[in-house]
PDB file of all heavy atoms in Angstrom:
ATOM      1  N   TRP A   1      -4.420  -3.341 -11.403  1.00 92.00           N
ATOM      2  CA  TRP A   1      -4.329  -3.121  -9.904  1.00 92.00           C
ATOM      3  C   TRP A   1      -3.025  -2.609  -9.546  1.00 92.00           C
ATOM      4  O   TRP A   1      -3.048  -1.757  -8.542  1.00 92.00           O
ATOM      5  CB  TRP A   1      -4.690  -4.551  -9.215  1.00 92.00           C
ATOM      6  CG  TRP A   1      -6.152  -4.831  -9.191  1.00 92.00           C
ATOM      7  CD1 TRP A   1      -6.862  -5.702  -9.963  1.00 92.00           C
ATOM      8  CD2 TRP A   1      -7.139  -4.262  -8.306  1.00 92.00           C
ATOM      9  NE1 TRP A   1      -8.160  -5.741  -9.599  1.00 92.00           N
ATOM     10  CE2 TRP A   1      -8.417  -4.842  -8.539  1.00 92.00           C
ATOM     11  CE3 TRP A   1      -7.046  -3.328  -7.254  1.00 92.00           C
ATOM     12  CZ2 TRP A   1      -9.524  -4.538  -7.818  1.00 92.00           C
ATOM     13  CZ3 TRP A   1      -8.140  -2.994  -6.575  1.00 92.00           C
ATOM     14  CH2 TRP A   1      -9.375  -3.543  -6.834  1.00 92.00           C
ATOM     15  N   ARG A   2      -2.003  -3.124 -10.081  1.00 89.00           N
ATOM     16  CA  ARG A   2      -0.629  -2.520  -9.681  1.00 89.00           C
ATOM     17  C   ARG A   2      -0.622  -1.018  -9.985  1.00 89.00           C
ATOM     18  O   ARG A   2      -0.056  -0.260  -9.192  1.00 89.00           O
ATOM     19  CB  ARG A   2       0.486  -3.265 -10.459  1.00 89.00           C
ATOM     20  CG  ARG A   2       0.590  -4.732 -10.090  1.00 89.00           C
ATOM     21  CD  ARG A   2       2.010  -5.225 -10.458  1.00 89.00           C
ATOM     22  NE  ARG A   2       2.239  -5.190 -11.867  1.00 89.00           N
ATOM     23  CZ  ARG A   2       1.907  -6.080 -12.780  1.00 89.00           C
ATOM     24  NH1 ARG A   2       1.309  -7.201 -12.356  1.00 89.00           N
ATOM     25  NH2 ARG A   2       2.197  -5.958 -13.999  1.00 89.00           N
ATOM     26  N   ASP A   3      -1.172  -0.609 -11.156  1.00 88.00           N
ATOM     27  CA  ASP A   3      -1.153   0.779 -11.452  1.00 88.00           C
ATOM     28  C   ASP A   3      -2.018   1.590 -10.413  1.00 88.00           C
ATOM     29  O   ASP A   3      -1.615   2.679  -9.944  1.00 88.00           O
ATOM     30  CB  ASP A   3      -1.759   1.040 -12.827  1.00 88.00           C
ATOM     31  CG  ASP A   3      -0.729   0.618 -13.889  1.00 88.00           C
ATOM     32  OD1 ASP A   3       0.440   0.354 -13.653  1.00 88.00           O
ATOM     33  OD2 ASP A   3      -1.212   0.418 -15.166  1.00 88.00           O
ATOM     34  N   LEU A   4      -3.164   1.030 -10.115  1.00 90.00           N
ATOM     35  CA  LEU A   4      -3.977   1.733  -9.047  1.00 90.00           C
ATOM     36  C   LEU A   4      -3.330   1.792  -7.744  1.00 90.00           C
ATOM     37  O   LEU A   4      -3.324   2.871  -7.113  1.00 90.00           O
ATOM     38  CB  LEU A   4      -5.313   0.886  -8.942  1.00 90.00           C
ATOM     39  CG  LEU A   4      -6.288   1.486  -7.846  1.00 90.00           C
ATOM     40  CD1 LEU A   4      -6.697   2.854  -8.132  1.00 90.00           C
ATOM     41  CD2 LEU A   4      -7.538   0.540  -7.685  1.00 90.00           C
ATOM     42  N   LEU A   5      -2.657   0.688  -7.238  1.00 90.00           N
ATOM     43  CA  LEU A   5      -2.014   0.709  -6.009  1.00 90.00           C
ATOM     44  C   LEU A   5      -0.869   1.813  -6.042  1.00 90.00           C
ATOM     45  O   LEU A   5      -0.711   2.454  -5.061  1.00 90.00           O
ATOM     46  CB  LEU A   5      -1.446  -0.688  -5.586  1.00 90.00           C
ATOM     47  CG  LEU A   5      -2.417  -1.797  -5.518  1.00 90.00           C
ATOM     48  CD1 LEU A   5      -1.689  -3.138  -5.183  1.00 90.00           C
ATOM     49  CD2 LEU A   5      -3.431  -1.484  -4.523  1.00 90.00           C
ATOM     50  N   ALA A   6      -0.116   1.804  -7.120  1.00 87.00           N
ATOM     51  CA  ALA A   6       0.950   2.839  -7.164  1.00 87.00           C
ATOM     52  C   ALA A   6       0.408   4.240  -7.141  1.00 87.00           C
ATOM     53  O   ALA A   6       0.919   5.147  -6.465  1.00 87.00           O
ATOM     54  CB  ALA A   6       1.705   2.606  -8.503  1.00 87.00           C
ATOM     55  N   PHE A   7      -0.833   4.473  -7.791  1.00 87.00           N
ATOM     56  CA  PHE A   7      -1.430   5.771  -7.826  1.00 87.00           C
ATOM     57  C   PHE A   7      -1.895   6.120  -6.372  1.00 87.00           C
ATOM     58  O   PHE A   7      -1.735   7.309  -5.946  1.00 87.00           O
ATOM     59  CB  PHE A   7      -2.558   5.744  -8.671  1.00 87.00           C
ATOM     60  CG  PHE A   7      -3.395   7.119  -8.766  1.00 87.00           C
ATOM     61  CD1 PHE A   7      -2.783   8.088  -9.423  1.00 87.00           C
ATOM     62  CD2 PHE A   7      -4.615   7.228  -8.221  1.00 87.00           C
ATOM     63  CE1 PHE A   7      -3.421   9.338  -9.506  1.00 87.00           C
ATOM     64  CE2 PHE A   7      -5.312   8.371  -8.307  1.00 87.00           C
ATOM     65  CZ  PHE A   7      -4.765   9.485  -8.938  1.00 87.00           C
ATOM     66  N   LEU A   8      -2.465   5.166  -5.668  1.00 89.00           N
ATOM     67  CA  LEU A   8      -2.926   5.402  -4.290  1.00 89.00           C
ATOM     68  C   LEU A   8      -1.777   5.767  -3.448  1.00 89.00           C
ATOM     69  O   LEU A   8      -1.839   6.606  -2.501  1.00 89.00           O
ATOM     70  CB  LEU A   8      -3.582   4.101  -3.719  1.00 89.00           C
ATOM     71  CG  LEU A   8      -4.987   3.805  -4.363  1.00 89.00           C
ATOM     72  CD1 LEU A   8      -5.532   2.497  -3.838  1.00 89.00           C
ATOM     73  CD2 LEU A   8      -5.947   4.938  -4.260  1.00 89.00           C
ATOM     74  N   GLU A   9      -0.595   5.114  -3.573  1.00 87.00           N
ATOM     75  CA  GLU A   9       0.620   5.490  -2.911  1.00 87.00           C
ATOM     76  C   GLU A   9       1.092   6.863  -3.222  1.00 87.00           C
ATOM     77  O   GLU A   9       1.395   7.690  -2.324  1.00 87.00           O
ATOM     78  CB  GLU A   9       1.706   4.505  -3.200  1.00 87.00           C
ATOM     79  CG  GLU A   9       1.404   3.089  -2.631  1.00 87.00           C
ATOM     80  CD  GLU A   9       2.392   2.039  -3.169  1.00 87.00           C
ATOM     81  OE1 GLU A   9       3.220   2.407  -4.024  1.00 87.00           O
ATOM     82  OE2 GLU A   9       2.264   0.830  -2.798  1.00 87.00           O
ATOM     83  N   GLU A  10       1.097   7.196  -4.517  1.00 83.00           N
ATOM     84  CA  GLU A  10       1.613   8.483  -4.881  1.00 83.00           C
ATOM     85  C   GLU A  10       0.723   9.786  -4.455  1.00 83.00           C
ATOM     86  O   GLU A  10       1.246  10.738  -4.038  1.00 83.00           O
ATOM     87  CB  GLU A  10       1.688   8.581  -6.452  1.00 83.00           C
ATOM     88  CG  GLU A  10       2.759   7.694  -6.976  1.00 83.00           C
ATOM     89  CD  GLU A  10       2.578   7.458  -8.543  1.00 83.00           C
ATOM     90  OE1 GLU A  10       1.522   7.964  -9.094  1.00 83.00           O
ATOM     91  OE2 GLU A  10       3.359   6.726  -9.124  1.00 83.00           O
ATOM     92  N   GLN A  11      -0.600   9.378  -4.288  1.00 84.00           N
ATOM     93  CA  GLN A  11      -1.563  10.442  -3.846  1.00 84.00           C
ATOM     94  C   GLN A  11      -1.751  10.387  -2.370  1.00 84.00           C
ATOM     95  O   GLN A  11      -2.623  11.119  -1.837  1.00 84.00           O
ATOM     96  CB  GLN A  11      -2.871  10.159  -4.529  1.00 84.00           C
ATOM     97  CG  GLN A  11      -2.803  10.280  -6.020  1.00 84.00           C
ATOM     98  CD  GLN A  11      -2.462  11.613  -6.564  1.00 84.00           C
ATOM     99  OE1 GLN A  11      -2.970  12.639  -6.044  1.00 84.00           O
ATOM    100  NE2 GLN A  11      -1.518  11.787  -7.422  1.00 84.00           N
ATOM    101  N   ASN A  12      -0.961   9.599  -1.697  1.00 85.00           N
ATOM    102  CA  ASN A  12      -1.041   9.472  -0.172  1.00 85.00           C
ATOM    103  C   ASN A  12      -2.431   9.101   0.282  1.00 85.00           C
ATOM    104  O   ASN A  12      -2.841   9.488   1.352  1.00 85.00           O
ATOM    105  CB  ASN A  12      -0.580  10.747   0.421  1.00 85.00           C
ATOM    106  CG  ASN A  12       0.810  11.137   0.240  1.00 85.00           C
ATOM    107  OD1 ASN A  12       1.686  10.344   0.349  1.00 85.00           O
ATOM    108  ND2 ASN A  12       1.048  12.380  -0.184  1.00 85.00           N
ATOM    109  N   VAL A  13      -3.136   8.275  -0.488  1.00 88.00           N
ATOM    110  CA  VAL A  13      -4.389   7.677  -0.102  1.00 88.00           C
ATOM    111  C   VAL A  13      -4.229   6.472   0.757  1.00 88.00           C
ATOM    112  O   VAL A  13      -4.831   6.220   1.742  1.00 88.00           O
ATOM    113  CB  VAL A  13      -5.268   7.431  -1.296  1.00 88.00           C
ATOM    114  CG1 VAL A  13      -6.579   6.720  -0.905  1.00 88.00           C
ATOM    115  CG2 VAL A  13      -5.523   8.707  -2.079  1.00 88.00           C
ATOM    116  N   SER A  14      -3.278   5.607   0.320  1.00 89.00           N
ATOM    117  CA  SER A  14      -3.058   4.376   1.143  1.00 89.00           C
ATOM    118  C   SER A  14      -1.679   3.783   0.655  1.00 89.00           C
ATOM    119  O   SER A  14      -1.180   3.991  -0.383  1.00 89.00           O
ATOM    120  CB  SER A  14      -4.102   3.275   0.810  1.00 89.00           C
ATOM    121  OG  SER A  14      -3.912   2.168   1.675  1.00 89.00           O
ATOM    122  N   ASN A  15      -1.105   3.078   1.565  1.00 84.00           N
ATOM    123  CA  ASN A  15       0.176   2.330   1.351  1.00 84.00           C
ATOM    124  C   ASN A  15       0.382   1.303   2.512  1.00 84.00           C
ATOM    125  O   ASN A  15      -0.340   1.257   3.426  1.00 84.00           O
ATOM    126  CB  ASN A  15       1.379   3.281   1.158  1.00 84.00           C
ATOM    127  CG  ASN A  15       1.566   4.147   2.392  1.00 84.00           C
ATOM    128  OD1 ASN A  15       1.745   3.628   3.511  1.00 84.00           O
ATOM    129  ND2 ASN A  15       1.468   5.451   2.231  1.00 84.00           N
ATOM    130  N   ASP A  16       1.414   0.519   2.267  1.00 78.00           N
ATOM    131  CA  ASP A  16       1.673  -0.578   3.247  1.00 78.00           C
ATOM    132  C   ASP A  16       1.940  -0.036   4.620  1.00 78.00           C
ATOM    133  O   ASP A  16       1.719  -0.715   5.631  1.00 78.00           O
ATOM    134  CB  ASP A  16       2.868  -1.397   2.762  1.00 78.00           C
ATOM    135  CG  ASP A  16       2.460  -2.644   2.066  1.00 78.00           C
ATOM    136  OD1 ASP A  16       1.248  -3.017   2.087  1.00 78.00           O
ATOM    137  OD2 ASP A  16       3.282  -3.239   1.351  1.00 78.00           O
ATOM    138  N   ALA A  17       2.539   1.151   4.694  1.00 76.00           N
ATOM    139  CA  ALA A  17       2.819   1.725   6.045  1.00 76.00           C
ATOM    140  C   ALA A  17       1.576   1.958   6.894  1.00 76.00           C
ATOM    141  O   ALA A  17       1.724   2.096   8.097  1.00 76.00           O
ATOM    142  CB  ALA A  17       3.643   3.011   5.917  1.00 76.00           C
ATOM    143  N   LEU A  18       0.452   2.049   6.319  1.00 73.00           N
ATOM    144  CA  LEU A  18      -0.820   2.277   7.008  1.00 73.00           C
ATOM    145  C   LEU A  18      -1.448   0.956   7.583  1.00 73.00           C
ATOM    146  O   LEU A  18      -2.512   1.002   8.092  1.00 73.00           O
ATOM    147  CB  LEU A  18      -1.730   3.108   6.178  1.00 73.00           C
ATOM    148  CG  LEU A  18      -1.230   4.383   5.743  1.00 73.00           C
ATOM    149  CD1 LEU A  18      -2.262   5.089   4.872  1.00 73.00           C
ATOM    150  CD2 LEU A  18      -0.893   5.369   6.835  1.00 73.00           C
ATOM    151  N   GLY A  19      -0.894  -0.178   7.180  1.00 74.00           N
ATOM    152  CA  GLY A  19      -1.497  -1.417   7.561  1.00 74.00           C
ATOM    153  C   GLY A  19      -0.996  -1.908   8.911  1.00 74.00           C
ATOM    154  O   GLY A  19       0.023  -1.434   9.419  1.00 74.00           O
ATOM    155  N   PRO A  20      -1.590  -3.016   9.379  1.00 76.00           N
ATOM    156  CA  PRO A  20      -1.110  -3.641  10.620  1.00 76.00           C
ATOM    157  C   PRO A  20       0.151  -4.398  10.386  1.00 76.00           C
ATOM    158  O   PRO A  20       0.444  -4.813   9.308  1.00 76.00           O
ATOM    159  CB  PRO A  20      -2.327  -4.583  11.007  1.00 76.00           C
ATOM    160  CG  PRO A  20      -2.959  -4.872   9.723  1.00 76.00           C
ATOM    161  CD  PRO A  20      -2.832  -3.703   8.878  1.00 76.00           C
ATOM    162  N   ILE A  21       0.834  -4.683  11.428  1.00 78.00           N
ATOM    163  CA  ILE A  21       2.066  -5.509  11.392  1.00 78.00           C
ATOM    164  C   ILE A  21       1.683  -6.924  11.314  1.00 78.00           C
ATOM    165  O   ILE A  21       1.025  -7.466  12.269  1.00 78.00           O
ATOM    166  CB  ILE A  21       3.032  -5.193  12.550  1.00 78.00           C
ATOM    167  CG1 ILE A  21       3.505  -3.676  12.449  1.00 78.00           C
ATOM    168  CG2 ILE A  21       4.263  -6.175  12.551  1.00 78.00           C
ATOM    169  CD1 ILE A  21       4.335  -3.270  13.585  1.00 78.00           C
ATOM    170  N   SER A  22       2.260  -7.704  10.394  1.00 74.00           N
ATOM    171  CA  SER A  22       1.967  -9.079  10.282  1.00 74.00           C
ATOM    172  C   SER A  22       3.006  -9.837  11.106  1.00 74.00           C
ATOM    173  O   SER A  22       4.075  -9.408  11.521  1.00 74.00           O
ATOM    174  CB  SER A  22       2.000  -9.611   8.855  1.00 74.00           C
ATOM    175  OG  SER A  22       3.304  -9.482   8.376  1.00 74.00           O
ATOM    176  N   ASP A  23       2.640 -11.147  11.432  1.00 82.00           N
ATOM    177  CA  ASP A  23       3.701 -11.963  12.152  1.00 82.00           C
ATOM    178  C   ASP A  23       4.957 -12.159  11.270  1.00 82.00           C
ATOM    179  O   ASP A  23       6.071 -12.129  11.838  1.00 82.00           O
ATOM    180  CB  ASP A  23       3.187 -13.437  12.333  1.00 82.00           C
ATOM    181  CG  ASP A  23       2.018 -13.393  13.441  1.00 82.00           C
ATOM    182  OD1 ASP A  23       2.064 -12.453  14.231  1.00 82.00           O
ATOM    183  OD2 ASP A  23       1.212 -14.321  13.364  1.00 82.00           O
ATOM    184  N   ALA A  24       4.885 -12.295   9.956  1.00 77.00           N
ATOM    185  CA  ALA A  24       6.061 -12.376   9.158  1.00 77.00           C
ATOM    186  C   ALA A  24       6.870 -11.117   9.245  1.00 77.00           C
ATOM    187  O   ALA A  24       8.110 -11.203   9.292  1.00 77.00           O
ATOM    188  CB  ALA A  24       5.670 -12.624   7.685  1.00 77.00           C
ATOM    189  N   GLU A  25       6.295  -9.917   9.216  1.00 77.00           N
ATOM    190  CA  GLU A  25       7.018  -8.714   9.318  1.00 77.00           C
ATOM    191  C   GLU A  25       7.692  -8.525  10.691  1.00 77.00           C
ATOM    192  O   GLU A  25       8.800  -8.134  10.796  1.00 77.00           O
ATOM    193  CB  GLU A  25       6.088  -7.467   9.083  1.00 77.00           C
ATOM    194  CG  GLU A  25       5.617  -7.404   7.649  1.00 77.00           C
ATOM    195  CD  GLU A  25       4.428  -6.418   7.486  1.00 77.00           C
ATOM    196  OE1 GLU A  25       3.717  -6.203   8.476  1.00 77.00           O
ATOM    197  OE2 GLU A  25       4.258  -6.011   6.345  1.00 77.00           O
ATOM    198  N   ALA A  26       6.947  -8.953  11.701  1.00 85.00           N
ATOM    199  CA  ALA A  26       7.556  -8.937  13.057  1.00 85.00           C
ATOM    200  C   ALA A  26       8.834  -9.780  13.201  1.00 85.00           C
ATOM    201  O   ALA A  26       9.784  -9.526  13.779  1.00 85.00           O
ATOM    202  CB  ALA A  26       6.484  -9.262  14.127  1.00 85.00           C
ATOM    203  N   ALA A  27       8.688 -11.032  12.610  1.00 88.00           N
ATOM    204  CA  ALA A  27       9.815 -11.998  12.644  1.00 88.00           C
ATOM    205  C   ALA A  27      11.008 -11.518  11.916  1.00 88.00           C
ATOM    206  O   ALA A  27      12.050 -11.951  12.169  1.00 88.00           O
ATOM    207  CB  ALA A  27       9.292 -13.262  12.036  1.00 88.00           C
TER     208      ALA A  27
END
């Protein structure tokens, strides 16, 4: 799964920047 996530990031398919902001991140 880590390899797949890294591949998705490298291919600009998905990454953390495309997700919603969590309460922990806002804090």
Side-chain angles (χ1 to χ4, degrees):
W1 277 104
R2 294 199 301 271
D3 289 345
L4 175 62
L5 296 180
F7 180 74
L8 294 177
E9 292 168 358
E10 292 164 358
Q11 298 298 312
N12 296 315
V13 176
S14 186
N15 58 58
D16 264 345
L18 301 176
I21 296 174
S22 68
D23 286 339
E25 289 165 339

